[in-house]
Amino acid sequence: MSSAVWLVIFIYEENGTDYCHNPPGNIFHLRFNSEMTLRCGTENILREWYSIDTNRTEIMDVATWSLEKGVTKLVPDFLYERRYNLQGLIMKVVTVKGSSFTIVKKNGESGNVYNDILRELCVTLNFSLEIVSEVEEYGRWNTEEKTWTGAIAELYARRADISLSGFSVTNDRLNVVDFTHPILETENFLVIREPEKFGIKWSSYFLTFTNTLWIAAFGILIAASILLIFLKINNRSDRKIGYLFIHNFLEIWGIFCQQGLADFPGRSSLRIAYVSIFLFVIVLSAAYSGGLISFLTSTIHILPFHSLESFVQDGTYHLVVVRGSAYYDRFAKSRDPLGKKLMKLMLEHEKLPLTEQEGYNSVR
């Protein structure tokens, strides 16, 4: 009854039962989000029926209806702006053992951002929660026994009204339970034991500086070689410009390689130029040495695989997911050839961990 909008008009007969004002139980099997509007006999009031408790029908005046003024609304248009009071309903809760959704502090209070949200919802919507059971699995459809497991089984059997755990949406689950809007969107990763093999790439020697800094250093090398040409020409050097450029370039390159000059010039302008180059090279060498040491001492692990395809080709690892979770069904019911190959590497269902922490511990 929650998938359509209904308009019901009650026509009274003499000595008839007043179902419109006093409905017995929940005769239309309404839900909280059912949209049913009623008119009782010749009254000009339109009422709305819905249900909080499955055995009781709630009544709310929503509009007046007359020939002169038509329909006049008495409540907001949005459904949940007018239905925000659950009248102290106690919801039965099932939790999943080890779920990060529920964390209990030392003083017994729940300490989690999700629990804080639930606490505010309880106050705003006027309802409370009662944990009636704790299960080990989230729940999946057992194709052999034709039954649900875990928390989904508790919801399906109506032994609980809500499960406070982080669930992933699957087609099978959507057929039997409802989900809230997504709270978090996460990515999936393969977690393996830290590899013992590691290597140092030759590119580490160039990763010390950025490309811009390397270009700037090379530009200074060229610019300094050209500047020395003009200084030496003014010093009445009889050498050709091409020879001077090559000679200056090799001299400055030697300074970059921590070599001295064969003949230190006597002119002040040349001395200042060479001393400036020496100071620049000292600073640059110190920065490069520090950066190079940090790169060479940082460990770069060599991973055995970089994709699911290479993971399957390696074949020496077992795949582990949380038992009874949507991740297991994702591989168990996959029609993709890669998914079927991954399922062959999966541990037996009974040996799978019950929580994510157990899964992390199993790969250490």
Side-chain angles (χ1 to χ4, degrees):
M1 294 294 292
S2 61
S3 60
V5 178
W6 301 81
L7 175 61
V8 179
I9 299 178
F10 281 87
I11 300 176
Y12 289 103
E13 297 180 357
E14 293 184 4
N15 301 323
T17 304
D18 188 7
Y19 286 109
C20 188
H21 296 92
N22 300 297
N26 187 5
I27 57 177
F28 287 105
H29 302 286
L30 301 174
R31 298 181 180 180
F32 184 73
N33 59 342
S34 298
E35 297 184 57
M36 175 179 283
T37 305
L38 301 98
R39 180 182 178 184
C40 301
T42 59
E43 293 182 2
N44 64 344
I45 298 178
L46 295 179
R47 295 179 173 87
E48 193 172 58
W49 278 14
Y50 63 98
S51 178
I52 298 175
D53 188 344
T54 55
N55 296 321
R56 187 179 65 186
T57 301
E58 305 296 332
I59 303 175
M60 176 185 293
D61 296 344
V62 295
T64 59
W65 189 7
S66 64
L67 295 176
E68 296 79 11
K69 297 182 179 180
V71 177
T72 303
K73 293 181 292 185
L74 303 176
V75 293
D77 291 334
F78 185 56
L79 182 67
Y80 297 110
E81 284 189 31
R82 58 181 186 266
R83 298 184 191 176
Y84 56 86
N85 189 350
L86 295 180
Q87 301 181 10
L89 177 68
I90 300 176
M91 287 191 178
K92 295 176 291 184
V93 178
V94 56
T95 61
V96 178
K97 185 178 180 180
S99 173
S100 59
F101 196 96
T102 52
I103 298 177
V104 180
K105 296 180 180 179
K106 293 182 179 180
N107 57 4
E109 296 181 357
S110 58
N112 191 299
V113 62
Y114 308 116
N115 299 121
D116 294 337
I117 294 174
L118 281 173
R119 190 179 297 109
E120 292 299 324
L121 287 175
C122 289
V123 174
T124 304
L125 300 179
N126 188 21
F127 73 97
S128 59
L129 300 173
E130 179 186 0
I131 299 178
V132 295
S133 61
E134 183 182 48
V135 295
E136 294 183 341
E137 299 181 14
Y138 289 92
R140 60 180 298 269
W141 176 250
N142 190 321
T143 55
E144 297 179 357
E145 299 180 2
K146 305 297 181 182
T147 57
W148 283 97
T149 63
I152 301 295
E154 298 297 307
L155 297 175
Y156 183 69
R158 300 187 182 277
R159 291 188 292 267
D161 301 316
I162 186 173
S163 179
L164 302 183
S165 303
F167 284 86
S168 298
V169 180
T170 64
N171 292 332
D172 290 338
R173 290 177 177 178
L174 279 174
N175 291 330
V176 294
V177 297
D178 293 326
F179 289 85
T180 64
H181 291 290
I183 298 177
L184 289 177
E185 293 184 1
T186 59
E187 296 182 356
N188 298 327
F189 298 93
L190 283 179
V191 179
I192 63 173
R193 184 180 301 171
E194 184 177 7
E196 298 179 357
K197 296 181 179 180
F198 63 93
I200 299 174
K201 297 182 179 180
W202 285 103
S203 60
S204 299
Y205 295 96
F206 300 98
L207 294 175
T208 305
F209 291 153
T210 62
N211 294 334
T212 304
L213 191 55
W214 280 116
I215 294 173
F218 187 76
I220 292 175
L221 177 63
I222 300 297
S225 301
I226 297 174
L227 176 63
L228 289 176
I229 292 176
F230 292 104
L231 294 177
K232 290 182 178 180
I233 289 177
N234 293 334
N235 198 24
R236 298 177 181 179
S237 175
D238 56 353
R239 297 177 181 178
K240 296 182 179 180
I241 294 178
Y243 177 81
L244 285 175
F245 177 79
I246 296 175
H247 183 265
N248 294 337
F249 184 86
L250 293 177
E251 277 189 338
I252 298 175
W253 181 254
I255 295 174
F256 271 83
C257 296
Q258 307 298 318
Q259 295 181 2
L261 296 176
D263 184 18
F264 199 75
R267 191 176 177 184
S268 300
S269 58
L270 288 174
R271 287 188 173 188
I272 293 174
Y274 278 111
V275 169
S276 300
I277 295 173
F278 271 110
L279 293 176
F280 170 75
V281 170
I282 291 173
V283 175
L284 187 66
S285 299
Y288 179 80
S289 299
L292 181 61
I293 290 173
S294 65
F295 268 94
L296 295 180
T297 54
S298 61
T299 303
I300 302 176
H301 293 286
I302 301 177
L303 298 178
F305 49 83
H306 296 84
S307 63
L308 290 177
E309 289 79 5
S310 57
F311 172 79
V312 172
Q313 292 176 359
D314 184 275
T316 59
Y317 289 83
H318 288 290
L319 184 61
V320 174
V321 297
V322 177
R323 188 194 307 176
S325 65
Y327 300 107
Y328 183 85
D329 284 342
R330 187 171 299 175
F331 296 109
K333 299 183 179 181
S334 175
R335 297 181 180 179
D336 183 68
L338 179 60
K340 294 180 179 179
K341 293 179 181 178
L342 288 168
M343 189 60 195
K344 293 180 180 179
L345 299 176
M346 183 83 68
L347 283 181
E348 297 179 7
H349 187 265
E350 292 74 15
K351 296 181 180 180
L352 291 175
L354 293 174
T355 64
E356 294 179 356
Q357 187 60 46
E358 290 183 10
Y360 285 123
N361 294 336
S362 65
V363 299
R364 289 181 179 177

